[in-house]
Amino acid sequence: MFDYKKFENDIVQQMIITFNKLIAENEDLYIFSLDCTRAMDSIGVMANTIHNLEEQAEADSEDYWYYKYCEGEWELFDTFEAVSKDMRKYL
């Protein structure tokens, strides 16, 4: 049986650890998102900085909102290896 409570706690703990690490390394972090693969075999976070956003598009550009909110264009990510391993075991 899959332990959903442990799964939830592990994700929250990893998110806190990763968020604190990213904030310490990037003063201009503006977005942070939980990301799970469609196959449900990997989970982690994605994030972006204002610096990276400004390199991608000007604020008045037609593409600005795309780069601002499209996770595929963000520069920071971290896979929760231990949690992902547990997910793959259950699958």
Side-chain angles (χ1 to χ4, degrees):
M1 185 109 192
F2 190 77
D3 187 344
Y4 286 100
K5 193 64 179 167
K6 178 184 180 316
F7 179 63
E8 177 185 356
N9 289 337
D10 290 348
I11 289 173
V12 170
Q13 286 302 319
Q14 275 302 139
M15 286 182 74
I16 291 168
I17 290 166
T18 305
F19 181 78
N20 288 333
K21 177 183 166 227
L22 291 175
I23 284 290
E25 295 172 354
N26 303 279
E27 294 177 2
D28 62 341
L29 192 75
Y30 75 89
I31 198 160
F32 181 85
S33 175
L34 182 64
D35 184 66
C36 185
T37 61
R38 193 173 290 223
M40 296 296 292
D41 61 353
S42 180
I43 194 164
V45 293
M46 301 192 73
N48 204 15
T49 61
I50 292 173
H51 174 77
N52 184 63
L53 174 61
E54 289 172 347
E55 286 181 356
Q56 301 294 327
E58 299 284 327
D60 60 352
S61 166
E62 186 174 299
D63 296 328
Y64 179 78
W65 298 105
Y66 168 78
Y67 285 103
K68 185 169 185 171
Y69 295 113
C70 180
E71 289 179 332
E73 302 295 339
W74 298 352
E75 72 174 327
L76 306 171
F77 65 92
D78 185 28
T79 302
F80 302 162
E81 294 297 339
V83 179
S84 295
K85 183 179 176 184
D86 287 345
M87 290 169 66
R88 286 188 296 274
K89 267 195 267 183
Y90 183 74
L91 287 174

